[in-house]
Amino acid sequence: MSQLSIQRQDAPGDDLLINFGPQHPSTHGVINLVVETDGEVITRAIPDVGYLHRSLEKIGEKCTYHGYMPYTDRIDYVAAMFANEGYARVIERLQGIEVPQQAEYCRVLACELCRIASHMIAVGTNATDIGAVTPLLHATREREYANDLLEELCGARLTYNYMRIGGVSAPVPIGWLDKLSRFLDHLEPIMIEFNRLITENEIYVQRLANIAPISAKEAIAFGLVGPNLRASGVDWDLRRDVPYGVYPDFDFEVPVGRGERGTVGDCYDRWLMRVREILQSARILRQAIEKYPTEGEFVAAKVPRKLKPKANEAQSRIESARGEMAYYVVADGGENPYRVRARTGSFAVMTIVEKISRGLMIQDLIAFFASIDVVAPEIDR
Amino acid sequence: MTVQEIVEQLKATFGEKVGELSETLDPFLTLKAEDLLEIAGFLKDTAGLEMDFLQDETAVDYPDESLIRMVYHLFSYQHRHGIVLKVELDRAAPKVPTLEGLWPVANWLEREVWDLFGVDFEGHSDLRRIMLPDDWEGHPLRKDYEDPTEYHGISHDRPSPIDGFTRVDEKLRQIAAETAAQLAAATGEGESSEESAS
């Protein structure tokens, strides 16, 4: 039986071994950090995950291809649309299904709205972890509006399940696009207010700037993805660089960390990435509303009820709210996938915690942990 | 660079050690475990290839062939190309060198594979279970894994308490009727007692 290798040292001094979480509010539920400190300075912090392991990969092998779809949203409950989309795309590749244009637009609408909702929670909880409660109230309110729209689209407010293999479950309801435009008109001034309230707040900047910087080289070596990678100065977005779906139709910017208030890749940069991505998603949504094809199919006509792809294997990569999400599926010709693998952003970012936390103060560890925006089921799956 | 060009470059350097490319949707290259470190290092550091991103590392179990295949997805941000490598391992004693030295993210990815498939990584700095408790037996993503019936005396298949319930409709109806009668009598008495009190 191999145990966690760190132990209480009987050294004179202020060494302490603390269990940080799983019940601590800033560890977001079920993440445990075993922290070794010297006074208030951390000498080592080891993440201990697995409290939530729900064997979603094993379930994938036991379900049919269609039947696994509702399980995928449990991988990332804050941004479930992306997990849906990634899985649908890999099966479409295996089966050779072409998704109709209208369905692709529905997917973009659902995903970008979901990204706004997810980043709202990310910035809101980030501020709360550091001690400011008001921003979370603002952010949650805006997320509620986004959730109302998503609910109208697919009937759920948390475990959204809108994607289907070959398309989506239904086209957007009548009048929905108009509601969405009104929401966007409301959102953009709110973000200006939000920035004035918190992003430019001097106390807040002091808490985040220059804290726990991750260099571009480290970020790549540790496999960081999404906003965490971009904050480190790596100009990379799958939507733009390895485009999928109808993303080439849209014009948007990819925010990259430049160390505006401190070092490149510090907590403040990671915060800024998410605030700016909300506005970029709003921009994509506006274009999608403009270009939405009113005619066409919302699901490919030739998707068999019983999917049996030939023996083959493929991977799909999509840009989730937490960065690149890659599904790798091996088909053996049967009714169930032979192997389903989900590579998620939060799992990779946890690998760097031990390295970055060395030498941080405890308060800065919280700031760092809040800024990487992990969702527990994405780590454990 | 296309995958074919990458493979040609690998063949020019490593000759026989590099096999043929498969014809799946994402073509993969099968290597021997002892050549993995050398070839992965070459892919990472050679100018023009520079696959700096270990996108994924996982395994697939094939009990019929008594093999476990390790799957490595490599990608280069700079050149936007990638390659899939596979290593075939003996299922009875799967062992492969660790890639931790090249990509630190492999540390956790390999712990996960060790936990769920039981693949041993030579030279890994911290090989212990990551998802399951330290004293768990077996590796759940193997195809022949059987669910344990209990963990530390906590049974996994207790009977549903609902099975022990019985239908009591007739009796319930009787009780309801009796209660209603008692209630009516009690309220009648209550009124009369109020009257007497006043």
Side-chain angles (χ1 to χ4, degrees):
Chain A
M1 185 167 120
S2 62
Q3 290 277 351
L4 204 57
S5 60
I6 60 169
Q7 292 198 340
R8 172 82 167 87
Q9 303 269 317
D10 283 327
D14 295 330
D15 290 18
L16 256 182
L17 186 66
I18 310 169
N19 259 313
F20 188 72
Q23 259 68 32
H24 192 280
S26 77
T27 57
H28 295 227
V30 284
I31 300 154
N32 182 15
L33 293 168
V34 183
V35 183
E36 215 175 47
T37 67
D38 179 9
E40 269 201 66
V41 178
I42 291 161
T43 49
R44 219 169 163 202
I46 298 178
D48 181 14
V49 299
Y51 286 83
L52 205 67
H53 186 50
R54 291 170 303 177
S55 44
L56 276 165
E57 290 177 10
K58 186 86 174 177
I59 291 171
E61 293 169 11
K62 306 228 167 188
C63 288
T64 60
Y65 285 93
H66 285 295
Y68 185 53
M69 190 56 89
Y71 290 97
T72 54
D73 22 271
R74 274 72 179 171
I75 286 179
D76 181 353
Y77 58 75
V78 187
M81 288 287 184
F82 298 102
N84 279 191
E85 199 196 4
Y87 179 71
R89 278 194 195 282
V90 68
I91 306 302
E92 282 153 13
R93 274 193 78 190
L94 283 171
Q95 181 77 10
I97 298 168
E98 200 152 311
V99 184
Q101 187 82 349
Q102 196 191 16
E104 290 283 15
Y105 270 88
C106 290
R107 282 184 179 188
V108 170
L109 287 167
C111 282
E112 293 306 321
L113 194 56
C114 196
R115 193 187 307 275
I116 291 177
S118 169
H119 279 347
M120 278 293 177
I121 288 298
V123 294
T125 51
N126 190 343
T128 308
D129 288 350
I130 289 176
V133 179
T134 318
L136 180 64
L137 301 179
H138 282 261
T140 312
R141 185 190 60 210
E142 300 315 314
R143 180 192 180 240
E144 280 300 292
Y145 298 146
N147 270 358
D148 285 344
L149 288 165
L150 288 168
E151 187 184 10
E152 231 172 279
L153 207 57
C154 66
R157 295 179 70 85
L158 186 70
T159 48
Y160 326 113
N161 202 297
Y162 184 52
M163 313 301 174
R164 295 288 180 275
I165 294 164
V168 293
S169 64
V172 297
I174 297 161
W176 190 83
L177 291 175
D178 182 47
K179 275 187 197 171
L180 179 61
S181 328
R182 277 185 275 151
F183 168 65
L184 295 176
D185 289 342
H186 158 83
L187 178 77
E188 279 154 350
I190 282 284
M191 287 315 290
I192 295 170
E193 194 183 314
F194 190 85
N195 284 342
R196 240 190 258 152
L197 172 72
I198 191 90
T199 308
E200 301 298 329
N201 183 318
E202 197 49 41
I203 299 169
Y204 199 66
V205 173
Q206 293 286 324
R207 281 296 309 272
L208 293 184
N210 287 321
I211 302 298
I214 301 173
S215 70
K217 217 176 156 194
E218 276 175 329
I220 293 172
F222 279 91
L224 263 56
V225 287
N228 296 326
L229 177 72
R230 291 192 277 276
S232 296
V234 182
D235 190 6
W236 180 262
D237 191 317
L238 282 173
R239 290 175 294 171
R240 185 194 65 193
D241 297 319
V242 190
Y244 54 92
V246 286
Y247 276 107
D249 290 6
F250 305 118
D251 174 38
F252 61 98
E253 280 164 33
V254 176
V256 178
R258 298 211 161 77
E260 271 157 65
R261 295 299 182 96
T263 328
V264 176
D266 60 7
C267 291
Y268 191 74
D269 267 357
R270 281 190 283 277
W271 161 274
L272 268 186
M273 287 313 103
R274 300 204 167 81
V275 173
R276 290 188 179 156
E277 274 180 28
I278 289 174
L279 290 172
Q280 292 304 325
S281 285
R283 197 168 148 192
I284 296 174
L285 281 173
R286 278 195 192 284
Q287 295 170 46
I289 294 168
E290 201 70 30
K291 292 180 180 171
Y292 183 77
T294 41
E295 286 181 6
E297 292 292 319
F298 62 88
V299 67
K302 284 181 185 166
V303 184
R305 209 159 260 263
K306 205 177 235 179
L307 269 178
K308 270 185 170 181
K310 289 189 202 97
N312 208 332
E313 56 181 74
Q315 197 194 34
S316 74
R317 304 169 71 186
I318 57 140
E319 185 76 24
S320 154
R322 264 152 217 87
E324 176 172 334
M325 187 175 231
Y327 275 92
Y328 167 69
V329 173
V330 180
D332 63 346
E335 285 176 23
N336 301 357
Y338 190 75
R339 170 95 170 94
V340 179
R341 156 84 181 158
R343 198 270 196 197
T344 53
S346 299
F347 184 81
V349 78
M350 292 297 283
T351 59
I352 206 171
V353 170
E354 187 178 343
K355 182 159 198 271
I356 291 297
S357 60
R358 205 164 292 150
L360 289 182
M361 306 274 275
I362 290 206
Q363 56 179 20
D364 297 340
L365 177 71
I366 292 173
F368 168 62
F369 208 77
S371 75
I372 56 178
D373 181 32
V374 293
V375 167
E378 257 216 326
I379 303 169
D380 300 351
R381 293 186 298 282
Chain B
M1 247 195 253
T2 63
V3 186
Q4 279 76 17
E5 283 168 350
I6 295 169
V7 173
E8 271 164 34
Q9 195 171 341
L10 282 178
K11 276 190 179 163
T13 318
F14 294 99
E16 289 296 297
K17 289 177 183 175
V18 181
E20 288 304 310
L21 209 58
S22 77
E23 288 179 358
T24 47
L25 280 166
D26 295 328
F28 61 84
L29 201 61
T30 305
L31 304 175
K32 287 201 181 89
E34 63 261 31
D35 302 330
L36 174 71
L37 262 183
E38 200 183 350
I39 292 176
F42 179 81
L43 286 168
K44 180 174 178 258
D45 296 326
T46 311
L49 293 172
E50 282 157 331
M51 299 201 191
D52 43 6
F53 180 31
L54 176 64
Q55 194 212 356
D56 201 359
E57 172 172 358
T58 187
V60 188
D61 184 25
Y62 293 92
D64 299 343
E65 302 165 59
S66 54
L67 283 176
I68 285 182
R69 289 195 172 95
M70 288 295 299
V71 187
Y72 302 88
H73 286 83
L74 305 181
F75 190 74
S76 164
Y77 280 124
Q78 201 182 325
H79 306 291
R80 297 181 192 181
H81 60 214
I83 193 167
V84 186
L85 303 178
K86 281 198 181 186
V87 177
E88 291 184 351
L89 306 174
D90 177 19
R91 198 163 176 274
K95 203 172 191 187
V96 68
T98 174
L99 291 186
E100 212 188 331
L102 296 168
W103 292 279
V105 68
N107 182 324
W108 273 43
L109 291 167
E110 284 170 0
R111 273 176 70 190
E112 195 185 11
V113 172
W114 185 82
D115 188 355
L116 303 176
F117 287 92
V119 176
D120 192 11
F121 290 92
E122 261 175 301
H124 192 284
S125 63
D126 188 20
L127 201 61
R128 56 192 164 82
R129 290 210 184 247
I130 187 166
M131 300 289 176
L132 295 163
D134 289 338
D135 56 349
W136 196 265
E137 279 173 24
H139 303 286
L141 279 183
R142 286 206 181 188
K143 291 284 173 187
D144 56 358
Y145 176 77
E146 278 177 24
D147 294 337
T149 51
E150 60 151 45
Y151 176 67
H152 286 290
I154 305 162
S155 174
H156 288 177
D157 49 14
R158 63 188 169 140
S160 165
I162 294 169
D163 294 344
F165 292 177
T166 46
R167 296 288 298 260
V168 285
D169 291 10
E170 206 47 53
K171 209 177 166 189
L172 256 180
R173 235 172 271 138
Q174 210 180 332
I175 293 168
E178 278 169 20
T179 323
Q182 278 173 8
L183 242 152
T187 38
E189 276 172 24
E191 275 165 22
S192 63
S193 64
E194 254 172 50
E195 273 166 31
S196 64
S198 61

